Amino acid sequence: MAAHDLNRLPTTVVPSHYDLELAPDLEAATFAGTAEVTLIVTEPVDQLILHALDLEISEAWLEGAEGERIDATATFDTPSETATLALSATAAPGPWTLHTTFTGELNDKLVGFYRSTFTDDAGATHTLACTQFESTHARRSFPCWDEPAFKSTFAIRLVVDDGLFAVSNARETAVDQLPDGRKRVHFAPTMYMSTYLVAFVVGPLEATDVVDVDGVPLRVIAVPGKGDLTPFALEIGAFSLRYLSDWYGISYPGDKLDLIAIPDFAFGAMENLGCVTFRETALLLDEGRSTQAELQRVADVVAHEIAHMWFGDLVTMGWWNGIWLNEAFATFMEMMTTDAFRPEWQRWTDFGLARSAAFDTDSLTSTRAIEYEVVTAADAEGMFDVLTYEKGASVVRMLQQYLGEDRFQAGIRHYLEAHSYANTETTDLWDAIEEATGEPVRQIMDSWIFHPGHPVVSVAASSDRTALQLRQDRFSFAPDAAAGITLPPNEPRSVPVVLRIGHGDDTSLHRVLLTEPEATVELDHAADWIVGNHQGNGFYRVALADEELQAVAGRAQAVLSPLERYGLVEDEFALVLAGRGSVTRLFGLLRSLSADDDLSVWQRIIGVTASIGRVAPDDQVEAYRAFVRALIGPALQALGDAKVPGEPERTTARRASLFDAIARFGDDQARRDQAAAHFTALGEDPDAVDADLADAVVRVVASTADQATWDELRRRAAAARTAQDALRHQGALADAQDPALVLQFCELCLTDEVRTQDALFLLARALRNRYAAAEVWGFLTEHWDVISTRFPSSTVPRLIDGIRGVSDRELATSIAAFLADHPIKQGTKPVQQHLERMWVTVALADRVHAELGAALT
Ligand SMILES: [Zn+2]
């Protein structure tokens, strides 16, 4: 689909209520519908312009308050996705009802009203129909005013075959049996809300028993036979409903809440009021056989969507430029909720990982400001990225920590109360928090939201260590010269720097609003050590002078929080990518953290180590592997081989991460042998080892798989009971070192064995395989036409993500040339970012080639 302008509809006609009836035919993949829309005409009109796409409107007329009738003829304008209803007479200002009768197709593109299929245990295929309307796809299902500011109430009826389950936003109120064997299911009118939140799902589905959450009926709905995978979702669902209504200080705005697992789903989940849809891995799981990360993901996504019921659904952005705030805030509340649900998961520490991804993209010259003007549909879709979710949530977290949690919460409550059932601008939120706190919130936030990128703050102590010199620069990675990228100008911004200084047994905090390029901080006592980003809440990087890094790294375990230690590793690696640090200094830091006891810190150490290893020159590979074994071996040994009953879940996950890393990146033969033995045992007994270790075992075994092992992984993927287990085995097929096996996997990704929703992520994973990148890229270019038609064009950038790890200059050159010749119409920005990041990897490879030998000795 070409990018088209989202021309705003005229406001001469304003809808307030929809009476909708839809009759999907799952066999024929079509639907028929009628809509009666109550509206107000604000000035005399001869035509109505509203949204409609891929619909046939067979009949349309306006009915006046006195029953008078004006006929209408529909003509469609596909580029603008609108229909114009030419009226046979002028409609006078006042109330009218628009009647339309229409038909459409249940498509397979995962947007609008679409169909999804699944196979039952007996091998029979079934079809269901469901909706995904955000951002601008309600118009594919019924003629409507499809902009978020046209809020209305919706009374929905679904006409379906008698044996099918039907669900929508509001409670079921009645069922009529029809003479043709179908039934008409009536749902209560919804609250006043935007079209993109309307939803309905029809199919052979099953619901759990209702859980009463302080008067709100909660269910999980899924394809039949998955009831045993629902208790965890119900638990976090009930927890989130209680926690969030309490936190917001407003009761849940819907009349029931259904959480529905859909076998084919383009995104993670969608916050339709009362009728939240999820991909299966984000909702259903087997609690006893899930990794900590899988449990946390379900908790996160459920909490995130329920957080939207207030922030997004009850109070909604006036236009699509507000998508970022909607998502950033829900991501922030997701972590607040998960953190309260399972404090032992240390959700805010783990947020470091997600924030790293945001820092990474935000370090490119092709990054973007968090908020921007949305003109085209592609602009709106483009907002659903790491800068919206993770950078946006980081900035919200920074504000919360700066204001204090209670004052921040008071501001949010004030905002939600003031704007319930209405639409807002971003500034309405800042103004509400400003009113509640008296702080200049709008001024602070504007500098983070309307400027792309983030700063690096350099910290150096004076010779007597009683003064600190601070300097801010815009942070950018240094891409390879072949990319021809010019670094952005260096404009200072307002950086709320919080320093923690250690002197003797004491520490002191220093808050500095750094607005100029440089500043000096005078200290009362000579500094022994310096933390440049207290508690890691600031969205900026820190560059410490050599001796400062040594001073703080030497006492890291004693004086730094996990997120601060995480930040040290994160910042050092970023400095290497920027051409400002050194691999020797980075590896020195990693060695000094080798006794660390936190999962997230180790995940970053492992991630950074792997990134360097990927680009290691052939003659250094053995020395690099020895380094990995020496770095990780003692930490793994200290944890022991097996899970200790009662140990924290993050400890179990840490053991598995260390095991995986030493086996794969350290090529530790003893661990590889152990993994092979576990893999065999798991084939007999899925509980042979704990879930986190089992997950690691699959990755380790897959990395050196021969054809027989590869076939066995594929067999286990097909036989898996849960979506997590299927994906764990299927994804590992991409990791084999043998390019021939990886190519077999690429072929599979274009068949029905791999779900459309997963295929591009998996192909990207194959492209990240350093042993097969060139072969995989060759495959993709040969099958480009198939890929462009098989997958929704808006999702193709997910595939291109895989080029970020390409380090070979020749391959990078041919990738850049191919993408120049084959532009991806939707997602220009992400593709540009992936390309730039690829050239950063190419430049990294050069530096690693030059420096690794010295760093390893
Ligand atoms: Zn969301």
Side-chain angles (χ1 to χ4, degrees), residues 7 68 126 191 231 283 285 318 358 536 563 605 653 657 661 687 692 783:
N7 296 318
E68 66 273 33
H126 303 273
M191 71 172 185
L283 188 65
L285 54 69
L563 199 52
I605 292 173
S657 290
D687 298 316
D692 285 274
H783 295 80

Side-chain angles (χ1 to χ4, degrees), residues 134 269 271 304-305 308 326-327 330-331 384 389:
E134 193 177 21
E271 68 268 24
H304 177 107
E305 302 310 323
H308 272 308
N326 193 29
E327 295 305 344
T331 303
F384 294 95
Y389 287 85

Side-chain angles (χ1 to χ4, degrees), residues 22 264 378 413 519 546 780 853:
L22 284 142
D264 297 285
R413 288 178 168 192
D546 283 347
L780 296 175

Side-chain angles (χ1 to χ4, degrees), residues 101 175 206 338 346 442 495 550 554 606 647 649 657 677 709 853:
T101 305
V175 179
E206 272 179 10
T338 301
Q346 296 171 41
R442 195 198 267 228
V495 193
Q550 277 171 14
I606 290 166
E647 74 182 6
E649 287 161 89
S657 290
T709 306

